[in-house]
């Protein structure tokens, strides 16, 4: 909690929710997760979820560049531990598999933690 989240790719900030300070382990908190959604040039959208209360450091309509700070990590919504929920969707709501730069394994494993290297 409190770490700076940076943009994985350049794009335009399309949506921000940062008014929640709630979390719980049931679906009743599913809509309580603070998030930032960024639209990329190829039409895909990156969702950064579980951010801190008032944790956005960008505004809707802002153009962001690679590695630009966009928010502060937190623990909001349907979660039991602080973490960043990061998903890339293409049109139609289909998630896109991706690899982090320097990632050695082919797939990320559930329950494992990964550090971002600069």
């Amino acid at each position: 909690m409190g770490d700076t989240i940076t943009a994985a790719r350049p794009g335009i900030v399309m949506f921000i929710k940062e008014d929640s300070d709630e979390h719980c382990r049931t679906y009743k908190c599913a809509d309580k997760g603070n998030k930032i959604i960024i639209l990329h040039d190829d039409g895909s959208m990156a969702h950064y979820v579980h951010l801190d209360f008032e944790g956005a450091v960008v505004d809707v309509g802002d153009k962001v560049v690679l590695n630009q700070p966009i928010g502060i990590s937190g623990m909001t919504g349907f979660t039991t531990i602080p973490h960043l929920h990061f998903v890339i969707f293409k049109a139609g709501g289909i998630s896109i598999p991706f690899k982090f730069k320097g990632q050695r394994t082919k797939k990320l494993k559930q329950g494992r933690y990964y550090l971002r290297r600069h």
Side-chain angles (χ1 to χ4, degrees), residues 17 19-20 27-34 77-78:
K17 175 182 173 22
D19 63 350
S20 176
Y27 284 107
K28 76 176 188 171
C29 289
D31 63 344
K32 304 291 184 187
N34 294 327
F78 179 28

Side-chain angles (χ1 to χ4, degrees), residues 1-3 5 17-26 29-35 48-56 71-85 113:
M1 291 178 59
D3 287 340
I5 304 300
K17 175 182 173 22
E18 60 177 337
D19 63 350
S20 176
D21 62 0
E22 298 179 54
H23 75 276
C24 68
R25 60 179 61 229
T26 67
C29 289
D31 63 344
K32 304 291 184 187
N34 294 327
K35 66 178 92 175
Y48 303 80
V49 187
H50 303 301
L51 304 180
D52 204 9
F53 174 71
E54 297 182 348
I72 306 299
S73 66
M75 186 170 163
T76 58
F78 179 28
T79 185
T80 58
I81 59 169
H83 69 285
L84 173 67
H85 187 125
Y113 292 89

Side-chain angles (χ1 to χ4, degrees), residues 9 42-45 87-91 93-99:
R9 295 174 57 202
D42 64 0
S44 65
M45 292 182 288
V87 181
I88 299 175
F89 290 98
K90 65 180 182 179
I94 299 168
S95 63
I96 302 170
F98 61 89
K99 286 178 65 175

